[in-house]
Amino acid sequence: MSGFILSMEEAFDRGADIVGGKNWGLARLDRYGFKIPKTLALTNALYLEVIEAVVPESLRADLELKSDDPVLIGQVHEIIVKSDLPEIFITELNTSLAKHNLQNSDLAVRSSAVGEDGSSASFAGQHQSVLSITGADALIIAIKHCFASLWTPSAVAYRQHMGFDIFGVSMAITLCEMVGERTESRTKDQTKAGVAFTVDPVTGRRDIMVVEAVTGLADELVNGQVQGCRYEISREDLTASLVKNGPLSDRQLELLANQLSRLHWTMGDGDTAYDTEWVFDGDDLYFVQARPVTVIPHLTFPKLASDLVIWSNANFKEVLAEIPCPMSWSFIETAIPEMLHIIPNCTGYQVPKGLHTIKRIKGRCYANLSELQWLWYDGYGQSPDDSNKNLGGHQPAIALPEKESWFVKLKRIWRGIRVMSLLSGAEKKLEEASADIFERVRSFRKNDLRDWKDEELTDNLWRWVEDTKKFMPDFAKGANYCGIKLFLFDQQVSKLKTEADRMLAYALLSGGGQMDSAEHAISLRTIAEMARNDPKATIILESNDLPAKVGDSAFETALRRYLDLYGHRGVGELDMRYPRWSEAPRFLFEQIKFLMHQEKELAGRSAIDHELRQMLDALPGRQRKALVAAAEQARGGMALRERVKSAIVAFMEPVRRLVLEKGRRMALEGRIQTADDLCWITFQEFSAFIDGVWSGKGLDYLIEARRAQYDQWVKETVSDVYTEEPGQQPVQQIVERLTGNELLGFGAFPGQYQGTARVLRSPEKGQGMMQGDIMVAPFTDPSWTPLFLRAGALVMEIGGAMSHGVIVARELGLPTVVNIPGALEWVEDGELLEVDGSLGRIAKKAA
């Protein structure tokens, strides 16, 4: 490894603290297969040596006392410009130029200060760059001028403003071959250049990328001397706004859009926006700079412009894996915001485009709850407290206007009517659409993908992905349909006279056999009963894998039917990394083996049923009829919501199978280690690779980096709620340590139960849970459902009226208390616990 001058590969290994921000950005671009000009990196060691040798100690001391003195700053600037660079460096420079065939090339000499182009400070425009320099002698002069540019009044003031010590920033240098210079065979008009941002830096919109382009080189554009032609590119489908007589051809714009999309994910992981400079040399696209955007305007609803932003993972915990893999997150990041805004946009409430609706904090998914609370209130009149109740979790509520006009209120009523109209007849349509999806997935499962051509794999993959996106509006309709039916039921419940009766009424929401998420657990009990009398069942279950051929016994037929219906489900089922039960049924087999040795079901529901009958008999006939009818409608709404959610999960099975088959082939070619390595890249990166936009250079490094980042995130603890000043870093919400022997939460299903607490942080930890234990969980998703058959009661740290755990617990008649943050720390595994779902209380009991 050389002393002062590094290749891009060496610069990547040394890191930004040695080669500075600009070199580091170029080294990362090069590492991951983006085309950059031929480039060398001068480390900051040369600058440090020069400063040490030529700037007197007395002048440094004076500057420490008078850091804003322009005379002292000017003295340092002049000393550096007039200094001699070390002979050892000059020798190395000549050698490196010859080695890389750059001795006669036009080079750009660009500052690359340590700390420059970072996530917190860009130093944009503070330091000097010198273009079109040829030969070692001219390079030496340009390098000294770049060094000296650290010492101008504006540069010194900037780094002090950003919190850097006056001598705390050192300078590395980028030596970059000029791209697009005029030659005998190419005119200046063939060169196109510009800047591009992966978000809109002016408005803060995150759904578009912004390009400014000029003919020729972009130095005047970057310096603000000319105005470029502006293009807006949709991040969703990469289509660009129409521009008359723009400098970029359709092909150039398409290539730039694809590369920017990949850059947004590869360089910024989809979380950090990037600012880039690029050049088209004819048809070849080069990036000459890539740095994080340090300040993005806070785009939100006008009423929230100055308010704290509330970020919450409530409700997301039960839907998504705790830390989604990159491929899953790259779909979620755009799909969820679109889904949340579909109904408002369809009913006349225009949500501003490009809101920052969800983001990752330490790898976990959080929603901008401030915006959602305002959207549901301003659009339809739902209070923030009711929104929190539906979502589950403990988060603050936004402040609401003190006074509003009747016109505003009437518009809400009108939008509510439009929602009802939009969802009219939705139940039948969504049931039919879901049934069609399940049938398509079952049919696809029969294919042997190893026989397919690469083109078939690719075409089918994008078709399934596109169909998943198209179904998202139906998923939103199902969730809203459920919410409306539960709201109407709550209206009937609120008419009951006592709180005890109101809690008891929620028992009406259980039973009926409509819930997919409950039925796929209840069916296991039936299969277990068959397995008791089938000698072959034990052999199959102990194998933890499906036999090559399944026979025709009652057990085998039921098992085959079960996997046919529910094989698309699994632990972490909305994450591409996790296998479906149809491919890895071990978890199911463990539940069946357990149930083979247990009673058919727990007793204890009869008391609630008796109290419920007494309460209903005491009601006036019309009120009783309305309450029962509303409960039946609400059960149907919950069942529909669970059905469409199951359909979304079903889409994931063929997508996962197609990706893994492509991964299997790539592993055989030696391009990746294992088939599921592809889960560690995004759909955008996968598309660029499949379409030939990316050669795959750096794929192994990218996968390794993403796995390492995941391992780090897993070790970190997070809060369920964060608040932040607009545009600032999130501040963790402080939760007081729980004390005492009783805690209050939200009683989701009535009844009292006393039993042994089994604290589970994931469904895989459920092997030690015995029949009748109280399941204490952070949240649940459908992969937990088989464990509900063991539980006598349920306690969850989060959960709302439409939470998966609440819906299934109601269906099975389990006393349930949710929304107790910190319960997993407060409850000790194995201790005696009492759950009172009627009062929303849990209590520790003496053994």
Side-chain angles (χ1 to χ4, degrees):
M1 184 175 290
S2 57
F4 294 112
I5 304 176
L6 307 176
S7 66
M8 285 293 94
E9 292 81 2
E10 293 168 331
F12 185 93
D13 292 336
R14 296 293 292 276
D17 289 343
I18 301 298
V19 301
K22 196 172 275 87
N23 279 324
W24 174 241
L26 286 166
R28 292 186 69 215
L29 286 168
D30 179 66
R31 170 60 60 100
Y32 298 127
F34 295 93
K35 185 176 286 189
I36 67 170
K38 195 180 295 185
T39 304
L40 297 175
L42 274 60
T43 72
N44 65 340
L46 178 62
Y47 171 83
L48 294 172
E49 186 169 319
V50 169
I51 287 291
E52 181 71 25
V54 303
V55 179
E57 285 285 349
S58 58
L59 181 53
R60 295 189 209 180
D62 290 343
L63 272 167
E64 292 284 3
L65 294 174
K66 300 178 181 180
S67 59
D68 59 348
D69 189 326
V71 175
L72 296 176
I73 294 169
Q75 288 178 17
V76 178
H77 185 281
E78 186 177 1
I79 288 171
I80 293 173
V81 169
K82 292 181 178 180
S83 66
D84 293 324
L85 298 185
E87 286 296 330
I88 189 173
F89 164 72
I90 295 173
T91 300
E92 183 180 351
L93 177 62
N94 283 301
T95 301
S96 295
L97 292 175
K99 177 181 178 181
H100 296 278
N101 196 26
L102 291 171
Q103 64 270 41
N104 297 315
S105 299
D106 283 346
L107 300 178
V109 182
R110 310 186 73 186
S111 64
S112 181
V114 173
E116 185 176 4
D117 290 354
S119 58
S120 59
S122 69
F123 289 86
Q126 298 299 326
H127 304 139
Q128 188 169 354
S129 292
V130 187
L131 305 182
S132 299
I133 302 299
T134 305
D137 292 341
L139 285 174
I140 289 169
I141 295 172
I143 289 168
K144 290 190 293 182
H145 277 282
C146 286
F147 284 167
S149 68
L150 267 176
W151 295 97
T152 64
S154 63
V156 171
Y158 179 86
R159 60 179 178 266
Q160 288 192 299
H161 174 73
M162 299 304 296
F164 293 94
D165 182 81
I166 188 171
F167 284 99
V169 175
S170 57
M171 178 71 79
I173 297 289
T174 302
L175 299 181
C176 179
E177 187 173 34
M178 295 289 293
V179 177
E181 287 286 271
R182 187 184 306 178
T183 67
E184 293 182 1
S185 61
R186 182 176 60 245
T187 66
K188 183 179 178 181
D189 289 344
Q190 290 179 283
T191 300
K192 310 295 171 59
V195 297
F197 301 85
T198 62
V199 300
D200 189 334
V202 177
T203 66
R205 280 182 60 179
R206 294 172 182 268
D207 62 326
I208 61 173
M209 302 183 290
V210 175
V211 171
E212 291 190 2
V214 295
T215 297
L217 297 179
D219 46 317
E220 292 182 343
L221 172 66
V222 173
N223 294 330
Q225 297 172 285
V226 299
Q227 181 72 41
C229 179
R230 177 185 170 97
Y231 300 85
E232 292 183 358
I233 300 172
S234 166
R235 277 190 50 216
E236 169 63 18
D237 59 15
L238 301 186
T239 57
S241 56
L242 294 176
V243 175
K244 290 185 178 180
N245 302 318
L248 298 180
S249 68
D250 290 345
R251 183 191 177 282
Q252 288 174 328
L253 190 56
E254 180 183 358
L255 176 59
L256 181 58
N258 278 278
Q259 290 287 30
L260 285 174
S261 176
R262 182 166 78 92
L263 188 148
H264 179 74
W265 286 97
T266 301
M267 300 288 281
D269 278 330
D271 300 318
T272 303
Y274 260 73
D275 165 7
T276 72
E277 294 178 25
W278 51 269
V279 181
F280 270 108
D281 185 11
D283 291 329
D284 293 328
L285 173 64
Y286 294 85
F287 284 97
V288 296
Q289 181 170 293
R291 62 187 179 193
V293 179
T294 54
V295 179
I296 301 174
H298 177 53
L299 175 64
T300 188
F301 294 97
K303 294 288 186 181
L304 302 177
S306 60
D307 292 358
L308 282 174
V309 182
I310 305 167
W311 293 101
S312 173
N313 66 1
N315 199 249
F316 281 95
K317 278 187 172 182
E318 68 172 22
V319 177
L320 306 175
E322 185 180 18
I323 303 177
C325 71
M327 184 165 278
S328 298
W329 175 246
S330 65
F331 181 86
I332 291 164
E333 192 260 353
T334 54
I336 287 183
E338 288 183 9
M339 182 198 71
L340 291 171
H341 300 154
I342 281 170
I343 298 298
N345 285 330
C346 288
T347 56
Y349 189 95
Q350 294 302 312
V351 180
K353 294 181 178 180
L355 293 178
H356 201 189
T357 304
I358 65 171
K359 74 172 181 178
R360 287 191 296 185
I361 298 176
K362 298 181 180 179
R364 285 81 170 177
C365 181
Y366 286 75
N368 188 329
L369 199 61
S370 305
E371 290 177 357
L372 293 180
Q373 287 179 0
W374 176 257
L375 172 59
W376 295 331
Y377 168 75
D378 193 41
Y380 307 100
Q382 179 170 281
S383 74
D385 288 335
D386 284 341
S387 296
N388 287 344
K389 179 182 175 182
N390 288 337
L391 286 171
H394 287 251
Q395 49 263 327
I398 60 172
L400 298 178
E402 293 183 4
K403 294 182 179 180
E404 291 183 320
S405 68
W406 277 104
F407 180 70
V408 170
K409 296 176 181 178
L410 286 173
K411 286 179 72 175
R412 290 192 187 118
I413 294 173
W414 172 242
R415 282 191 290 266
I417 293 171
R418 294 193 67 180
V419 170
M420 299 295 286
S421 175
L422 181 67
L423 298 179
S424 177
E427 188 171 11
K428 181 179 179 181
K429 293 178 183 177
L430 294 179
E431 287 283 0
E432 291 175 351
S434 299
D436 179 63
I437 292 167
F438 297 138
E439 182 56 39
R440 284 181 59 197
V441 171
R442 284 193 290 269
S443 177
F444 183 86
R445 196 178 292 157
K446 300 172 184 177
N447 290 302
D448 187 346
L449 301 184
R450 291 172 297 182
D451 297 333
W452 285 23
K453 297 178 180 178
D454 282 340
E455 186 177 337
E456 287 181 280
L457 286 178
T458 303
D459 290 346
N460 273 270
L461 172 62
W462 298 135
R463 189 176 300 118
W464 280 101
V465 170
E466 188 61 31
D467 287 350
T468 307
K469 292 178 181 179
K470 289 179 180 178
F471 188 71
M472 295 304 286
D474 288 336
F475 179 64
K477 289 177 184 178
N480 279 272
Y481 184 89
C482 175
I484 290 172
K485 297 303 181 182
L486 278 172
F487 171 77
L488 295 175
F489 173 70
D490 284 338
Q491 294 293 102
Q492 293 296 325
V493 170
S494 67
K495 297 176 183 178
L496 298 175
K497 293 181 179 180
T498 68
E499 180 63 23
D501 283 351
R502 288 192 284 272
M503 290 303 304
L504 188 59
Y506 282 95
L508 287 168
L509 298 179
S510 68
Q514 297 172 293
M515 309 294 173
D516 275 21
S517 297
E519 285 300 302
H520 80 241
I522 295 170
S523 298
L524 289 180
R525 185 178 284 138
T526 303
I527 294 174
E529 292 172 11
M530 297 177 181
R532 289 187 187 126
N533 302 313
D534 189 332
K536 191 178 178 182
T538 301
I539 299 173
I540 293 174
L541 296 174
E542 290 293 340
S543 72
N544 285 331
D545 199 1
L546 294 174
K549 293 183 179 180
V550 178
D552 295 325
S553 69
F555 164 75
E556 292 170 292
T557 301
L559 179 61
R560 180 162 56 271
R561 175 63 175 163
Y562 183 93
L563 290 173
D564 192 47
L565 290 174
Y566 306 117
H568 60 281
R569 313 220 70 154
V571 176
E573 58 190 9
L574 279 177
D575 194 335
M576 290 285 293
R577 282 190 307 130
Y578 293 99
R580 318 290 106 175
W581 285 336
S582 61
E583 55 182 303
R586 181 181 61 84
F587 179 75
L588 287 179
F589 287 2
E590 289 176 353
Q591 309 314 312
I592 295 171
K593 286 188 288 184
F594 176 87
L595 293 170
M596 287 171 63
H597 306 291
Q598 305 299 319
E599 296 179 7
K600 182 175 181 181
E601 58 183 309
L602 290 169
R605 175 66 194 271
S606 57
I608 290 294
D609 288 340
H610 178 70
E611 293 176 23
L612 180 61
R613 283 194 298 271
Q614 286 187 321
M615 186 268 284
L616 291 174
D617 289 343
L619 293 176
R622 181 176 294 178
Q623 184 180 7
R624 179 174 64 250
K625 184 177 180 180
L627 179 63
V628 172
E632 184 175 349
Q633 288 286 312
R635 281 201 309 273
M638 290 187 294
L640 183 63
R641 176 182 182 266
E642 293 299 291
R643 182 67 55 84
V644 294
K645 185 161 67 174
S646 181
I648 286 288
V649 174
F651 272 122
M652 298 297 292
E653 181 183 336
V655 172
R656 172 178 157 81
R657 284 191 62 203
L658 288 160
V659 168
L660 289 186
E661 175 56 25
K662 181 63 178 178
R664 185 189 69 83
R665 298 179 188 191
M666 290 178 63
L668 289 175
E669 296 168 357
R671 308 194 71 165
I672 55 178
Q673 296 297 314
T674 61
D676 64 357
D677 275 353
L678 288 187
C679 296
W680 295 94
I681 66 173
T682 67
F683 274 114
Q684 293 80 0
E685 291 159 343
F686 185 74
S687 175
F689 176 77
I690 293 296
D691 295 341
V693 175
W694 175 31
S695 67
K697 177 184 177 182
L699 175 61
D700 51 345
Y701 291 114
L702 183 61
I703 292 169
E704 181 183 3
R706 295 254 174 83
R707 286 185 181 274
Q709 177 65 83
Y710 176 87
D711 291 341
Q712 179 60 40
W713 279 335
V714 167
K715 298 174 186 176
E716 296 177 347
T717 57
V718 294
S719 173
D720 288 338
V721 180
Y722 289 83
T723 58
E724 67 173 335
E725 293 285 345
Q728 303 300 314
Q729 293 297 312
V731 178
Q732 186 164 338
Q733 195 82 354
I734 298 174
V735 179
E736 295 183 7
R737 185 171 180 82
L738 300 175
T739 58
N741 290 321
E742 291 188 4
L743 294 177
L744 289 176
F746 168 61
F749 191 81
Q752 294 80 36
Y753 186 84
Q754 192 171 110
T756 301
R758 194 60 60 206
V759 178
L760 305 178
R761 297 186 180 276
S762 68
E764 296 95 329
K765 305 296 183 183
Q767 296 93 330
M769 183 176 171
M770 305 308 295
Q771 193 80 2
D773 284 351
I774 295 173
M775 185 163 70
V776 183
F779 58 91
T780 68
D781 63 24
S783 65
W784 291 73
T785 306
L787 295 175
F788 280 62
L789 298 178
R790 306 187 185 194
L794 174 65
V795 175
M796 294 197 303
E797 289 189 325
I798 68 168
M802 296 193 297
S803 295
H804 165 267
V806 170
I807 290 175
V808 177
R810 283 172 179 162
E811 186 71 3
L812 299 178
L814 301 178
T816 300
V817 178
V818 300
N819 251 8
I820 303 183
L824 271 68
E825 301 296 334
W826 183 79
V827 177
E828 292 186 20
D829 188 67
E831 72 178 331
L832 192 62
L833 195 67
E834 182 178 78
V835 176
D836 191 329
S838 301
L839 299 178
R841 177 183 65 88
I842 63 174
K844 295 184 177 184
K845 310 298 289 187

